[in-house]
Amino acid sequence: MIFIDSHCHIDGEAFDADRDEVVERARSAGVKAMLNIGTGNPHGDDFKKAVAVADKYEEVFASVGVHPHDAKLYDDKAENHLIELVKSSEKVIAWGEIGLDFYYDHSPRDVQIEVFRRQIRTARELNLPIIIHSRDANDETVEILRQECSDRDFRGGIMHCFGGTPEMARDVLEIGFLISFAGNVTFKKADNLRESAQVVPLEKLLIETDCPFLTPVPFRGKRNEPSFVVHTAKFLAEFYGIELEKLANHTKDNFVNFFELKID
Ligand SMILES: [Zn+2]
Ligand SMILES: [Zn+2]
């Protein structure tokens, strides 16, 4: 059985001591592709490291883009740096995570909105899919995506670590997004997430760890890692009332077809 971790952060410090082992454990668990999302300061080496990790391991791909937390750091120089990185490696297959985070508000909201729109346009010029992070900003996110992505040429994107309402899920599916659930869908109190999972067709579903955070049950409290995506898969298979293999196949095919990859 093949699993895909559609959103992880294994380039981070949390994995500096044992990254080889973490990737090896993922391989042994059947995780044949991991999309490592670069984050951090676009004026330092954070994104370079994200791409280097993808270049090092066959199963690891990379995405670059400035997180809404760091939107205040985005400028021409940051953008040029990221574009250079996209061009530097075939393993960079997406732009993100970009979006809005009105829960933490680490960057002013008007700056988040402006930088979100700007990065969507840049990604589209590069013909890259976008990875969206949205927290406590459902309406604003959907409005921007409708305005920026509703045309027929839109390459598509992924709503990562989905935390919105079923209505938001329907809206973004309609615009052309895949929806990815993280380990928090397994949490006891996450009925609202499962309500949204209910409206996502298997043909549009992805799974992710968002590691090192959001460790799924039964490892909640430990550092998360890509091999644990299997537990989220098992949980969702049971939730949908289908065989694990069926869920694994759908989430793999959705990812592979979306990014036009060859994985076996
Ligand atoms: Zn995120
Ligand atoms: Zn993330």
Side-chain angles (χ1 to χ4, degrees):
M1 238 180 282
I2 295 177
F3 299 93
I4 309 284
D5 185 354
S6 75
H7 188 115
C8 63
H9 300 278
I10 59 168
D11 57 318
E13 265 174 29
F15 296 102
D16 279 351
D18 63 346
R19 195 170 291 107
D20 288 347
E21 288 91 330
V22 166
V23 171
E24 191 47 50
R25 273 198 295 277
R27 279 182 193 132
S28 316
V31 181
K32 291 290 179 68
M34 295 157 250
L35 181 51
N36 184 68
I37 313 294
T39 55
N41 181 352
H43 299 286
D45 288 331
D46 295 344
F47 288 91
K48 218 184 246 177
K49 189 174 171 196
V51 177
V53 166
D55 283 335
K56 180 171 179 189
Y57 304 101
E58 196 190 336
E59 294 87 350
V60 180
F61 297 85
S63 176
V64 297
V66 171
H67 194 285
H69 290 345
D70 302 309
K72 55 181 182 276
L73 303 174
Y74 201 81
D75 58 13
D76 288 345
K77 194 166 155 255
E79 182 164 279
N80 289 333
H81 173 54
L82 298 185
I83 291 173
E84 286 303 311
L85 284 172
V86 169
K87 292 180 176 162
S88 75
S89 170
E90 300 247 299
K91 300 294 284 293
V92 183
I93 57 173
W95 191 283
E97 53 191 293
I98 59 176
L100 303 174
D101 195 314
F102 292 174
Y103 178 80
Y104 285 110
D105 281 326
H106 287 331
S107 285
R109 293 184 179 183
D110 57 331
V111 175
Q112 291 189 44
I113 287 170
E114 187 196 314
V115 168
F116 183 24
R117 286 188 191 275
R118 180 169 166 187
Q119 290 192 87
I120 293 173
R121 290 174 194 172
T122 304
R124 296 202 57 181
E125 274 165 31
L126 296 164
N127 199 30
L128 286 175
I130 49 181
I131 315 287
I132 309 293
H133 171 107
S134 174
R135 188 151 183 210
D136 281 7
N138 291 358
D139 293 347
E140 294 85 350
T141 300
V142 169
E143 190 193 337
I144 290 171
L145 294 177
R146 274 217 181 96
Q147 289 168 355
E148 301 287 341
C149 306
S150 281
D151 56 289
R152 224 190 309 151
D153 298 329
F154 179 52
R155 169 80 176 75
I158 298 171
M159 287 296 305
H160 113 85
C161 189
F162 192 79
T165 59
E167 187 195 356
M168 183 191 193
R170 287 195 194 94
D171 287 341
V172 298
L173 285 167
E174 192 188 294
I175 303 170
F177 282 84
L178 297 170
I179 293 184
S180 179
F181 286 96
N184 51 350
V185 77
T186 70
F187 296 174
K188 206 164 173 221
K189 286 187 177 154
D191 284 335
N192 58 328
L193 294 183
R194 291 186 283 273
E195 217 176 285
S196 296
Q198 200 73 65
V199 307
V200 180
L202 286 175
E203 291 71 27
K204 297 289 177 186
L205 181 76
L206 294 173
I207 48 176
E208 65 174 78
T209 58
D210 203 12
C211 64
F213 312 111
L214 298 175
T215 313
V217 172
F219 296 115
R220 199 173 173 187
K222 278 183 66 175
R223 179 190 69 175
N224 199 1
E225 62 171 62
S227 65
F228 293 171
V229 80
V230 177
H231 297 282
T232 301
K234 282 182 181 154
F235 180 92
L236 280 173
E238 202 166 297
F239 172 72
Y240 288 122
I242 59 174
E243 295 290 326
L244 177 60
E245 185 156 18
K246 186 169 175 188
L247 188 120
N249 285 343
H250 272 290
T251 49
K252 181 201 76 168
D253 289 345
N254 295 341
F255 185 89
V256 167
N257 295 337
F258 181 70
F259 288 110
E260 298 168 355
L261 303 172
K262 274 213 177 74
I263 287 165
D264 36 38

